[in-house]
Amino acid sequence: MAEVNEGPPFTHAQTPNHLVEPSEVERPTGWKYKRLKFGSIALPWYASPESQLILVSFVCFLCPGMFNAVNGMGGGGQFDTHANSASNTALYATFAIVGFFAGSVVNALGIRAALSFGGLGYCVYISSYLCYNYTQNFGYVVFAGFFLGCCAGILWSAQGAIMMSYPPERLKGRYISWFWIIFNLGAVIGSLVELGLNAHNQDNTSVSNGTYIGFLILTFFGAVLSWTLVDAKHVVRRDGSRIILMKHPTWKTEILGLWETLWTDPYVILLFPMFFASNWFYTYQFNDVNHARFNTRTRALNNTLYWVAQMLGALVFGFALDLNIRRTTRAKIAWISMLVLTFAVWGGGYAFQKKYTRSIEDPKLADAFKYDWDTNGYAGPLFLYIFYGFYDAAWQTCVYWFMGAITNNSRKLANFAGFYKGIQSAGAAIIWRLDGYGKPPPYMNLFASCWVLLAGSLVIALPVMILKIKDTVPIEEDLKFTDETMEDVIGHKVTYDYPERQKV
């Protein structure tokens, strides 16, 4: 009979020491847990983390991906950016409030209901621009932004919980990478549609009705696809372990859980400036670079390559964050890499921004010159815009990975994701309002605000990298935030990390 030395065991179900082969684990019965085989290739079962991540990636491919494709054109594809700025101000102001509490809503409703509700907002948002092309109905565009703010906060909190809590610790960077690649493929395809429809348009006009109709259909399919997911309580990993959550969530427990998250993990506040900065630069890049300096067809090309670069950035950083070295070391290397990229990419942006300014006489107009892809000198601004996309993916991937390295608890990570999207949206609401104001600031001022926020937030977040991210999080610590027990979440016999802790 084994006798165990006294002292707390290291029993984390998600560390490599406790991963076992699928053949050693008994999965629940039912169609959700059956593996399909094509020759020697065995696919993951439906209620596996891999399958669920792919499904939620395609939901975001079809909903936020199309949103990004439209907004990446600058002005939501409209010639005049005023309606788009007002709509996005309403969107992000609402998103900031709803997003902060979205984790509680997701935990109470469940993943599937939360995602399906979230997807509806994107349909309404796209429809408002189609309507605007016909009727110039400014009020509907603003309402659509407000409604999407309510929906998107819920969708992104649910997505964040899946992406950060479903994978084992050693694969979190890879899961984030897979999601970001599939999600941004939606923006790439949407941008290619825009490019195809506007390839011969050398003027500076609104995009066609057909573009908006295509996006409206795709976002509707995304909302419907949400219903094909399973809730977190049914998901089983390859080692038989389950997602750590509340077995019996209520609205009361989840609202209280929001404040418990801040009470038990106050250091997450040091990441708040990174959250705030993470969407701040979109307004500058989309409206004050792409829209201000390029004609319609060239904006569509820039937009396509921007999202392709996002896929590349997610691939590089996602897999690098899972390298086989200590997680504490990876966190520090990621921080240094982002600091270097911040000064390299935005230093190039400064060189480009010095070449033009916003017209004082008419703030809606930049210098009269607009780049076309046939213009001499276009290659430099094009590569700058590509690097802006790469940088954005690197930033988002690192922030999600930092949060996922703090805990494996789905309930807590839903709140983290809600904080992230809520604070991110507060920043976006402010910058969209500044850029759409009657007398908006000079482009250089907005550029400087992006650079300073990004660099400053990295410095503030450094203590988290040094002091709070550990090589692994013990399962006993993750369980403190739920009503589950060890037996509820570990689907196989637990062994100790160190054999010398056991003696026969």
Side-chain angles (χ1 to χ4, degrees):
M1 179 177 179
E3 180 183 338
V4 182
N5 289 337
E6 292 183 0
F10 296 83
T11 56
H12 198 288
Q14 299 185 45
T15 61
N17 295 332
H18 295 98
L19 289 175
V20 296
E21 293 300 318
S23 59
E24 301 176 36
V25 176
E26 286 191 16
R27 294 190 299 274
T29 58
W31 66 271
K32 292 194 291 288
Y33 305 101
K34 290 183 179 179
R35 304 190 73 166
L36 295 177
K37 290 188 176 181
F38 295 92
S40 59
I41 300 174
L43 299 178
W45 51 92
Y46 191 78
S48 68
E50 297 93 333
S51 298
Q52 296 301 298
L53 177 83
I54 290 171
L55 283 172
V56 78
S57 298
F58 277 103
V59 170
C60 292
F61 169 106
L62 292 166
C63 293
M66 297 305 111
F67 170 88
N68 283 344
V70 168
N71 277 278
M73 286 284 289
Q78 297 293 315
F79 172 71
D80 185 350
T81 64
H82 179 59
N84 176 248
S85 293
S87 178
N88 284 351
T89 299
L91 189 166
Y92 288 113
T94 309
F95 198 160
I97 298 170
V98 173
F100 202 82
F101 299 94
S104 299
V105 177
V106 171
N107 289 331
L109 290 179
I111 292 292
R112 184 166 54 179
L115 282 169
S116 59
F117 171 74
L120 289 175
Y122 291 92
C123 303
V124 174
Y125 182 85
I126 298 297
S127 73
S128 71
Y129 287 104
L130 177 62
C131 177
Y132 192 79
N133 266 3
Y134 285 103
T135 67
Q136 301 293 298
N137 189 333
F138 180 81
Y140 182 42
V141 175
V142 175
F143 166 77
F146 162 79
F147 182 67
L148 178 56
C150 297
C151 297
I154 309 301
L155 180 141
W156 280 106
S157 181
Q159 175 275 332
I162 291 174
M163 189 173 65
M164 293 186 286
S165 68
Y166 282 22
E169 285 186 334
R170 66 187 179 92
L171 298 178
K172 290 200 176 189
R174 212 161 300 178
Y175 272 56
I176 295 169
S177 174
W178 292 337
F179 168 80
W180 213 255
I181 289 169
I182 296 172
F183 158 53
N184 281 302
L185 182 60
V188 170
I189 293 175
S191 300
L192 285 171
V193 171
E194 291 172 343
L195 180 59
L197 292 172
N198 297 282
H200 301 293
N201 183 3
Q202 298 189 42
D203 298 323
N204 193 32
T205 60
S206 301
V207 301
S208 65
N209 294 330
T211 303
Y212 290 126
I213 292 171
F215 288 168
L216 179 61
I217 294 170
L218 291 172
T219 53
F220 175 76
F221 284 149
V224 173
L225 183 63
S226 302
W227 286 104
T228 65
L229 278 89
V230 300
D231 280 321
K233 63 185 178 182
H234 300 300
V235 175
V236 178
R237 299 189 184 93
R238 293 193 179 197
D239 65 345
S241 62
R242 293 178 176 267
I243 312 305
I244 302 173
L245 38 74
M246 287 287 283
K247 286 190 293 187
H248 305 291
T250 65
W251 286 103
K252 180 179 179 181
T253 62
E254 297 319 307
I255 291 172
L256 290 175
L258 178 72
W259 305 111
E260 289 172 20
T261 299
L262 289 172
W263 181 259
T264 58
D265 301 282
Y267 48 83
V268 75
I269 294 173
L270 294 176
L271 295 178
F272 282 9
M274 287 191 77
F275 299 174
F276 187 83
S278 60
N279 268 17
W280 182 274
F281 49 78
Y282 278 170
T283 306
Y284 170 76
Q285 291 172 354
F286 296 162
N287 278 8
D288 304 336
V289 177
N290 201 24
H291 189 276
R293 298 301 289 162
F294 303 94
N295 64 18
T296 299
R297 71 174 188 172
T298 311
R299 294 203 313 267
L301 176 61
N302 292 350
N303 198 23
T304 302
L305 296 176
Y306 180 93
W307 300 114
V308 170
Q310 290 251 5
M311 296 168 67
L312 178 61
L315 179 68
V316 171
F317 271 78
F319 279 76
L321 287 166
D322 282 344
L323 289 175
N324 191 24
I325 57 177
R326 295 183 61 177
R327 186 162 69 175
T328 49
T329 303
R330 281 177 274 150
K332 296 178 180 69
I333 292 173
W335 185 90
I336 294 170
S337 300
M338 288 312 306
L339 188 66
V340 171
L341 268 179
T342 298
F343 282 91
V345 173
W346 290 87
Y350 175 69
F352 181 63
Q353 182 55 68
K354 290 192 297 183
K355 297 179 180 179
Y356 68 102
T357 186
R358 200 189 299 264
S359 171
I360 297 174
E361 291 77 19
D362 187 350
K364 295 180 181 178
L365 301 176
D367 296 343
F369 172 73
K370 301 272 187 183
Y371 282 99
D372 183 74
W373 63 48
D374 288 333
T375 304
N376 289 332
Y378 168 62
L382 170 64
F383 277 100
L384 171 65
Y385 207 69
I386 289 171
F387 279 113
Y388 275 150
F390 182 93
Y391 178 88
D392 177 34
W395 185 275
Q396 309 286 351
T397 300
C398 286
V399 172
Y400 273 117
W401 187 85
F402 294 153
M403 289 189 288
I406 292 171
T407 182
N408 301 298
N409 185 301
S410 177
R411 184 180 179 226
K412 188 175 289 186
L413 285 170
N415 286 328
F416 279 5
F419 295 159
Y420 177 41
K421 303 306 291 189
I423 294 167
Q424 177 187 78
S425 300
I430 294 170
I431 189 69
W432 279 109
R433 178 57 179 157
L434 286 173
D435 193 58
Y437 192 62
K439 292 185 177 180
Y443 290 144
M444 183 60 81
N445 291 16
L446 296 178
F447 167 84
S449 70
C450 296
W451 198 357
V452 169
L453 274 174
L454 291 165
S457 64
L458 277 170
V459 174
I460 294 170
L462 182 57
V464 177
M465 314 302 118
I466 297 173
L467 301 174
K468 294 300 179 182
I469 292 181
K470 305 299 182 184
D471 288 324
T472 187
V473 181
I475 195 170
E476 293 86 355
E477 183 176 325
D478 283 328
L479 286 172
K480 290 178 182 177
F481 198 64
T482 70
D483 58 357
E484 292 192 312
T485 65
M486 189 84 71
E487 291 73 19
D488 292 325
V489 297
I490 297 182
H492 58 87
K493 183 179 179 181
V494 179
T495 59
Y496 295 110
D497 284 343
Y498 302 100
E500 59 267 24
R501 295 182 66 87
Q502 303 182 16
K503 63 182 181 181
V504 178

